[in-house]
Amino acid sequence: MTTLQHLPSDLETELESVTTSNNDFADSLGQKLQRSPNDIDTWNQLFSTIDKVISDNISQDDTTKTTLSDEVKTKIHNTYKTLLTRFPYLEEIWKKWSVVEYKMDGLEASIEILRMAVESFPHSVSLWTDYLTALKSTQCADSEQFRLTYTEALRYNAYNFVSHPIWDKAIEFETETQPNSKEVLSLYLKVVNIPLYQYAQYYSQFSEINKNFDIHELIDEAKLNDYVEKFGKLKTEDLSLIEKHQIIDDYFATIFASTQAKVSSNWEYEQLLLHQDFSFDRKGIEEERTTWVEYIDREILIYQVDNDENRFALICSLFERALIPNCFDEDLWLKYIKFIDGLGIPDEKKCELEREIYIRANAKFIPLNQCKVRKLYAYFLLKQNDIDSAVEYLFDWMKSLSGTSKQYFKLPYLEMTREIIHIWKMSLDKEKFLEAMELLLDNYFDKRNEEKRMKSENKEASRNCGACQLPDALLYSFAKFLNEDSIPIIVDQCLEVYKCQGNSVKIRTLFNKYHREPSLVKSPSFWKFIFKYEGIVENNLSNLKSIYNFIRVESQLPKPIIDMFVDWYYDIASANIREYLVINNGRSDDSMIFKDLEMSNSLYYNKLTTKRLAKNNYKFIDNPKSMADPEQSYLDLCSKQAGHPGVFIDANPEITNSFMNRGRYIDLTEEAIPTPLLPTFKGVEKAQALGKKRAHISRTTKK
């Protein structure tokens, strides 16, 4: 079973209670789901346990006789709600929930769950069928309400290849109400044109009753006039009854042949689609994805030629069906949006369709680490000249991903932050943009000095009042959600603007002021910019050397990044040997000699790496025991590791027969207290070997 990625529902501040308070096993499963909410096997175990709780506490003969409290019923309700809010396409779970509610609270409660089901999963034929059946079974069923309900069901599912259960319910209802009504005719005229699995059934049914309707209601005026002309008549009224019946039969026989050809053509793909329901077993679904795409592409090509309205509805239905099993597939959602965007329909309708798809995909299905659709929706809003809504949308995601309320999702958080900055950069002039970035920078780094921050706020508030489309309130709110990972983005933007202005003073001032900040000592982009600026743009080799030495010893950059700087610095030093001889008072630069050692993975040979790692290791920071010789302390720590950081050999002997563990306590209340055994140890030899190794390393270092 495929492990699911983090979904938008993971951003909820708290998972609703999924315990019953009536069964210890169910409570333990609920606690497990708090930690692993995507574990469908545990959910199924929990639902089975709930079924047992219900059967043990509710009479099968009379459901009104129950020992379940309202609190337990509410918790059972929340259990199903929690899962189906997370995975709304779990059709069978919706049905199971409906049955559970029927057992606990009766028919009305069950129907309410089905109503919620079709609202959350409107493209489910099965759920709509159950809902219509349940509505019709109620004694006080409202005919108009039922008609509105099946109309809504057909709005979403009329072109589904297997939507015949809904059509059957609609036709059955209207036929029982009034056999030859306009509603019955309207349903048949539509269904005989749709390529459904049961297309022949509807043609046969309609053939039996279509003679009961006026020919003008069955055939549009233009086609009817063609038939009149073929029969050598001047007008429809001149046709005999037999001729009218012949025309009706011929007209609908033609439609039947056309529909039959469409069904045969579609069956080529439909027979291959065996996994059309949402499932956590993704293997079969992923194998059939290509079939869905080919099926859709073929229909789109045909639609581009005939531009038929029914074909458009069929394509939308295919996308919706494909997105049930493939609801986490970002590329398929994008394909759907691209199709809608390329339609030759009024912009207002097109925007409405695209907006609905964007919101549904982003809010429910697209995994959090996939940001393309979310960013595209922001640009969709920009196309509508709604900059504020675009920024607000991205900012809402940034806040949710920042970890302030629950879990921190670093990569998508940074994506949203960059996109907001990019939109501001596009929409503001350079001066206003720089002022905004400087404000964010000062606010973040000076937030520990509250008085200074407040003065900055007051100054900027008057500066921006009515002069800029970017409100200070938004900037200060944005600044609250910046962290050590995102503030380098702001710094990089300031540096780029200063570089475009040719303002080396501001670049160096910013560097000198903030380069030791924890957020920047580990930022590759910051050090890459300043390294490139001093070494290539300004060609200030003295500054470059100081920066290079800081990177090697003081920074918290990953070693591959530092190796890149070592290699880069070597190339610059090799190209400027004379200049470096002057800087080093006639000596060659060390980088020319020690390059390979500085890129070595050995802590013994690469002393600067040892020094940098010791300086930044949390175990040695402000630790008096390690202050005297942090490099040696770091080497001692590494010597305890069994071939991999974090995997330690036994450094201290361990008692193996402790009477304080595993229930071996000595009961002091007894009269005859047994004498405990002498302790036995494990790891004594390893501890002795480690001591000898430490002594050897210390002697070697002193020499």
Side-chain angles (χ1 to χ4, degrees):
M1 186 174 292
T2 305
T3 302
L4 296 180
Q5 302 178 57
H6 287 292
L7 302 173
S9 51
D10 289 319
L11 298 175
E12 294 175 6
T13 54
E14 190 175 330
L15 195 68
E16 288 202 49
S17 174
V18 291
T19 60
T20 66
S21 299
N22 223 42
N23 184 289
D24 292 338
F25 181 60
D27 292 344
S28 67
L29 291 174
Q31 292 170 6
K32 183 178 178 181
L33 289 170
Q34 294 280 344
R35 300 186 297 271
S36 305
N38 293 341
D39 187 349
I40 193 62
D41 291 332
T42 304
W43 281 107
N44 286 330
Q45 289 182 51
L46 180 57
F47 292 142
S48 297
T49 307
I50 288 173
D51 288 342
K52 187 176 186 305
V53 170
I54 292 173
S55 63
D56 291 343
N57 291 273
I58 298 179
S59 172
Q60 299 298 313
D61 300 325
D62 185 359
T63 56
T64 60
K65 295 180 180 179
T66 176
T67 57
L68 288 180
S69 66
D70 289 340
E71 180 186 1
V72 172
K73 289 181 180 180
T74 301
K75 289 191 174 184
I76 291 174
H77 179 94
N78 288 341
T79 300
Y80 280 96
K81 181 180 177 182
T82 299
L83 176 62
L84 291 169
T85 300
R86 192 175 193 82
F87 302 111
Y89 287 174
L90 285 171
E91 193 173 74
E92 291 304 316
I93 302 297
W94 280 111
K95 293 182 179 182
K96 185 179 288 188
W97 187 13
S98 176
V99 173
V100 166
E101 290 291 338
Y102 178 80
K103 291 178 180 179
M104 292 194 301
D105 291 314
L107 182 60
E108 290 300 322
S110 176
I111 290 176
E112 176 61 18
I113 297 305
L114 290 172
R115 184 198 62 77
M116 292 168 53
V118 296
E119 190 176 282
S120 299
F121 187 7
H123 296 281
S124 169
V125 173
S126 183
L127 289 176
W128 276 111
T129 304
D130 287 357
Y131 184 39
L132 290 168
T133 302
L135 281 180
K136 195 173 181 183
S137 69
T138 59
Q139 294 180 353
C140 54
D142 183 358
S143 296
E144 193 57 37
Q145 180 61 41
F146 190 88
R147 184 173 290 116
L148 290 173
T149 303
Y150 83 64
T151 302
E152 187 74 358
L154 291 174
R155 183 168 76 87
Y156 287 106
N157 299 284
Y159 288 82
N160 189 313
F161 189 69
V162 289
S163 63
H164 52 273
I166 298 177
W167 285 103
D168 289 344
K169 291 291 180 185
I171 293 170
E172 178 187 352
F173 169 76
E174 295 297 353
T175 303
E176 289 176 356
T177 304
Q178 190 176 347
N180 296 324
S181 65
K182 290 183 178 179
E183 287 77 12
V184 172
L185 176 61
S186 176
L187 288 170
Y188 274 117
L189 287 177
K190 187 171 184 179
V191 73
V192 294
N193 283 282
I194 299 175
L196 301 179
Y197 182 70
Q198 295 284 8
Y199 74 99
Q201 168 191 315
Y202 298 112
Y203 173 74
S204 299
Q205 291 174 0
F206 190 45
S207 296
E208 294 176 4
I209 65 169
N210 58 20
K211 309 298 190 308
N212 297 330
F213 299 96
D214 186 89
I215 194 170
H216 292 92
E217 297 177 313
L218 298 171
I219 306 173
D220 65 76
E221 200 63 33
K223 291 181 180 178
L224 185 55
N225 289 336
D226 290 340
Y227 276 111
V228 170
E229 188 177 337
K230 286 179 182 179
F231 275 84
K233 308 293 183 180
L234 297 177
K235 53 186 179 179
T236 309
E237 288 74 13
D238 296 337
L239 294 169
S240 66
L241 182 61
I242 295 176
E243 289 172 335
K244 289 180 180 180
H245 288 179
Q246 288 177 341
I247 291 172
I248 292 171
D249 288 339
D250 182 75
Y251 176 74
F252 286 104
T254 304
I255 290 177
F256 173 76
S258 174
T259 305
Q260 185 180 49
K262 292 177 187 175
V263 171
S264 299
S265 177
N266 293 351
W267 183 246
E268 175 187 346
Y269 296 98
E270 294 286 351
Q271 65 181 334
L272 301 176
L273 299 171
L274 306 178
H275 301 84
Q276 297 192 31
D277 295 328
F278 175 81
S279 172
F280 290 89
D281 185 359
R282 311 301 297 171
K283 183 179 179 182
I285 291 171
E286 290 169 0
E287 289 173 353
E288 291 177 7
R289 184 187 182 280
T290 303
T291 304
W292 281 115
V293 172
E294 291 175 356
Y295 193 1
I296 291 168
D297 284 343
R298 190 200 67 175
E299 294 299 321
I300 290 176
L301 286 174
I302 298 172
Y303 174 71
Q304 289 172 346
V305 175
D306 62 22
N307 205 30
D308 181 57
E309 186 176 336
N310 287 330
R311 183 79 61 180
F312 165 72
L314 175 62
I315 294 170
C316 290
S317 177
L318 284 175
F319 270 115
E320 295 293 352
R321 289 172 60 199
L323 285 166
I324 293 172
N326 297 286
C327 56
F328 305 132
D329 190 329
E330 186 180 45
D331 291 335
L332 198 55
W333 284 104
L334 287 171
K335 186 178 182 68
Y336 193 9
I337 292 167
K338 184 179 178 182
F339 167 69
I340 298 296
D341 190 53
L343 294 175
I345 59 177
D347 288 343
E348 186 176 346
K349 183 180 179 182
K350 184 190 298 184
C351 288
E352 184 181 343
L353 290 171
E354 286 187 64
R355 190 187 304 273
E356 189 277 329
I357 297 169
Y358 272 122
I359 292 174
R360 179 155 49 102
N362 290 332
K364 292 184 179 181
F365 300 113
I366 301 295
L368 294 177
N369 64 337
Q370 298 177 20
C371 298
K372 186 184 292 185
V373 177
R374 295 186 178 98
K375 292 191 293 184
L376 284 175
Y377 181 58
Y379 286 96
F380 167 79
L381 294 173
L382 287 179
K383 283 172 63 178
Q384 318 304 318
N385 296 317
D386 195 353
I387 298 175
D388 293 341
S389 294
V391 172
E392 183 181 354
Y393 178 78
L394 293 172
F395 187 35
D396 285 342
W397 277 106
M398 175 191 167
K399 288 187 286 187
S400 299
L401 296 162
S402 65
T404 52
S405 61
K406 199 177 179 185
Q407 190 173 350
Y408 175 42
F409 297 92
K410 179 179 176 180
L411 293 179
Y413 162 79
L414 293 177
E415 285 275 342
M416 296 299 116
T417 306
R418 287 192 189 95
E419 217 57 46
I420 293 171
I421 300 300
H422 182 63
I423 290 175
W424 282 343
K425 192 172 184 178
M426 291 192 306
S427 57
L428 298 170
D429 60 55
K430 283 188 178 180
E431 182 181 347
K432 292 294 183 185
F433 176 71
L434 180 59
E435 288 176 358
M437 295 301 102
E438 289 175 335
L439 173 61
L440 291 172
L441 206 60
D442 294 340
N443 184 276
Y444 179 84
F445 287 120
D446 297 332
K447 61 186 174 184
R448 288 160 292 189
N449 186 336
E450 186 65 20
E451 182 180 352
K452 183 174 181 181
R453 189 181 72 82
M454 291 300 295
K455 288 180 180 178
S456 173
E457 285 185 10
N458 293 334
K459 178 182 176 182
E460 296 299 327
S462 60
R463 169 184 61 79
N464 267 340
C465 184
C468 182
Q469 293 181 356
L470 185 57
D472 282 1
L474 176 60
L475 279 174
Y476 287 116
S477 179
F478 182 80
K480 291 178 183 177
F481 292 94
L482 292 173
N483 59 24
E484 288 191 356
D485 295 320
S486 57
I487 194 62
I489 299 173
I490 310 299
V491 174
D492 293 345
Q493 292 296 331
C494 288
L495 291 173
E496 288 293 341
V497 175
Y498 293 152
K499 180 182 173 183
C500 292
Q501 294 175 343
N503 197 333
S504 60
V505 175
K506 282 199 172 183
I507 290 176
R508 288 167 178 158
T509 300
L510 187 152
F511 173 79
N512 291 330
K513 187 176 181 181
Y514 297 126
H515 75 281
R516 289 185 178 275
E517 290 286 343
S519 55
L520 295 182
V521 292
K522 59 183 180 182
S523 170
S525 60
F526 172 75
W527 290 105
K528 183 177 179 181
F529 176 90
I530 205 69
F531 193 98
K532 186 176 180 180
Y533 183 78
E534 294 291 358
I536 298 176
V537 177
E538 291 292 320
N539 198 31
N540 190 325
L541 301 181
S542 180
N543 283 356
L544 180 65
K545 184 173 183 177
S546 299
I547 291 167
Y548 176 62
N549 289 333
F550 185 92
I551 289 173
R552 291 188 300 165
V553 179
E554 304 285 342
S555 76
Q556 297 178 18
L557 299 172
K559 188 174 184 302
I561 301 295
I562 291 179
D563 288 348
M564 179 194 73
F565 281 115
V566 170
D567 199 43
W568 197 358
Y569 185 80
Y570 177 83
D571 292 341
I572 294 175
S574 300
N576 296 274
I577 294 177
R578 291 184 180 179
E579 289 80 355
Y580 273 103
L581 286 172
V582 174
I583 293 172
N584 297 323
N585 298 320
R587 292 178 63 252
S588 296
D589 197 81
D590 290 346
S591 65
M592 305 287 291
I593 302 170
F594 298 120
K595 176 193 173 186
D596 290 337
L597 291 179
E598 291 174 358
M599 295 180 70
S600 171
N601 291 325
S602 169
L603 295 178
Y604 179 79
Y605 292 108
N606 195 340
K607 302 298 183 184
L608 288 176
T609 296
T610 305
K611 186 175 182 179
R612 185 180 74 257
L613 294 175
K615 181 169 291 202
N616 293 314
N617 193 292
Y618 76 96
K619 290 191 173 184
F620 307 133
I621 297 174
D622 299 329
N623 186 347
K625 295 182 180 179
S626 306
M627 295 288 282
D629 192 356
E631 288 88 351
Q632 183 60 47
S633 297
Y634 183 73
L635 289 173
D636 290 345
L637 176 69
C638 292
S639 67
K640 293 166 56 179
Q641 294 170 351
H644 191 282
V647 181
F648 294 93
I649 61 174
D650 293 325
N652 298 308
E654 181 182 342
I655 299 175
T656 58
N657 63 339
S658 171
F659 60 83
M660 298 296 291
N661 294 328
R662 304 182 185 90
R664 298 173 180 169
Y665 298 101
I666 296 176
D667 189 354
L668 299 180
T669 63
E670 294 182 2
E671 293 184 3
I673 301 175
T675 303
L677 298 173
L678 291 173
T680 57
F681 299 88
K682 74 172 183 179
V684 177
E685 297 82 1
K686 291 180 180 179
Q688 291 174 343
L690 180 61
K692 293 178 182 178
K693 188 174 183 180
R694 283 177 177 168
H696 174 72
I697 292 175
S698 298
R699 287 193 297 271
T700 305
T701 306
K702 288 176 182 177
K703 289 179 183 180

